Amino acid sequence: MPTLSYAQEIEARTYSNAPIGINFISAGIVQAKTSNYRLTSEVMSMTHIFDAGGQSGKLTLVLPYAQFSGSKKISGQTVISSTEGLSDPVIKAAVNLYGAPALTLDEFKSYQQDLIVGVSLAASIPWGKYDDNQLINVGANRWFIQPGLGVSKALGPWRFELAGEGIFYSNNTDFMGGNSLSQSPVYVAQTHGIYYFQNTAWMSLDATYSKGGQTYLNGNAISGSQENWRFGSTLSYPVNKHNSIRLSASTGTYSRTNNNYDLYGISWQYRFGGGL
């Protein structure tokens, strides 16, 4: 479930431009909840903006710690599960290919966005806590890689983004006592409408659609293909030039396999470097 929550998280401004040399450190709490389970994650991340062949790029490391509690019916019996520990870290790189030149902080003051085109690649590292005797864990004991392509278009104070991604999973060969759990790729489309206020605060309206992800146990299908629609919103408000607070929320509105959940988050972000 931690991996699922990350994969379906609605993330605005992946392909935005920022001055090179700037760093962002953030810390926050995210909770995903349904009628059957609750997953709470304390998340720290660090992002660095760099020059990628004349265009801006960003490199992000995400370190989550999670607590999970819930229940699931298996063969007519209710299984109650509770666990906590380090979840799988995620590393993500996003590189703009067009429209987001690598600029210093002084040069960036006169930058006006038009059209940005970029690519991204995320990967999980299976270092999270995992027990093969448990059905549900905060670590997945497998890798995923997530390549993506996106565009961002500026219209006055608005930015409109559209992105597509594929999530590809390695096999968990130690599932419940040595079984092999595999999963088909999940394909995701995201769109965002982002409004920038004069004080550099911004608010986004977000939507995502995902499809795929059928799971197999020892080669035999144990779930159908997923299909999900999620909608949400994010608000980022600056406290001063170094600090800001971000609030986010999203909810599932349609799910073919009944795995909708509500997601809420709050985080603090600190900016430094690059001449700030």
Side-chain angles (χ1 to χ4, degrees):
M1 294 310 304
T3 300
L4 175 64
S5 297
Y6 171 79
Q8 294 189 348
E9 184 179 352
I10 309 177
E11 183 180 1
R13 304 208 321 158
T14 294
Y15 303 102
S16 63
N17 199 3
I20 59 173
I22 295 287
N23 302 290
F24 302 87
I25 292 179
S26 66
I29 298 176
V30 180
Q31 185 174 93
K33 188 176 182 180
T34 72
S35 59
N36 295 323
Y37 78 83
R38 180 173 60 192
L39 172 68
T40 303
S41 297
E42 295 80 36
V43 183
M44 293 194 65
S45 68
M46 181 171 182
T47 298
H48 175 69
I49 309 299
F50 62 94
D51 184 336
Q55 296 286 313
S56 67
K58 63 180 70 171
L59 183 65
T60 301
L61 175 64
V62 182
L63 298 173
Y65 186 92
Q67 301 88 38
F68 176 92
S69 61
S71 62
K72 184 178 180 67
K73 275 198 171 182
I74 303 175
S75 302
Q77 294 186 345
T78 300
V79 177
I80 299 174
S81 179
S82 178
T83 184
E84 72 171 278
L86 178 69
S87 296
D88 296 339
V90 174
I91 187 167
K92 182 173 183 177
V95 174
N96 293 312
L97 305 177
Y98 174 84
L103 303 171
T104 65
L105 183 63
D106 288 339
E107 293 170 335
F108 193 81
K109 294 175 182 178
S110 60
Y111 169 74
Q112 297 292 325
Q113 179 185 327
D114 184 16
L115 176 69
I116 293 176
V117 180
V119 294
S120 65
L121 181 65
S124 69
I125 307 171
W127 289 349
K129 181 183 177 182
Y130 183 80
D131 183 347
D132 65 348
N133 293 313
Q134 293 185 177
L135 178 64
I136 298 174
N137 287 275
V138 292
N141 196 41
R142 63 176 181 176
W143 297 79
F144 76 72
I145 59 170
Q146 184 173 344
L149 171 68
V151 297
S152 174
K153 173 66 177 178
L155 292 173
W158 288 90
R159 305 292 184 268
F160 295 97
E161 297 181 349
L162 178 64
E165 301 162 333
I167 310 168
F168 302 87
Y169 304 91
S170 67
N171 294 346
N172 177 1
T173 57
D174 194 20
F175 178 74
M176 293 297 292
N179 291 291
S180 179
L181 183 72
S182 58
Q183 186 171 8
S184 300
V186 176
Y187 300 98
V188 183
Q190 294 191 38
T191 184
H192 310 276
I194 308 165
Y195 184 83
Y196 284 83
F197 299 91
Q198 290 186 351
N199 65 345
T200 72
W202 58 268
M203 183 175 184
S204 67
L205 300 176
D206 317 301
T208 184
Y209 172 78
S210 60
K211 188 173 184 179
Q214 186 172 15
T215 54
Y216 301 84
L217 183 64
N218 300 324
N220 300 309
I222 59 173
S223 76
S225 178
Q226 303 173 26
E227 186 176 9
N228 300 283
W229 276 101
R230 294 186 61 77
F231 295 90
S233 183
T234 303
L235 172 66
S236 178
Y237 191 85
V239 177
N240 52 43
K241 72 174 184 177
H242 290 288
N243 297 277
S244 62
I245 296 173
R246 182 177 298 187
L247 304 173
S248 62
S250 66
T251 187
T253 58
Y254 169 77
S255 172
R256 176 188 292 174
T257 53
N258 195 30
N259 61 351
N260 278 333
Y261 59 92
D262 297 322
L263 188 70
Y264 304 96
I266 182 171
S267 63
W268 160 84
Q269 186 179 80
Y270 177 72
R271 299 189 304 169
F272 66 98
L276 279 176

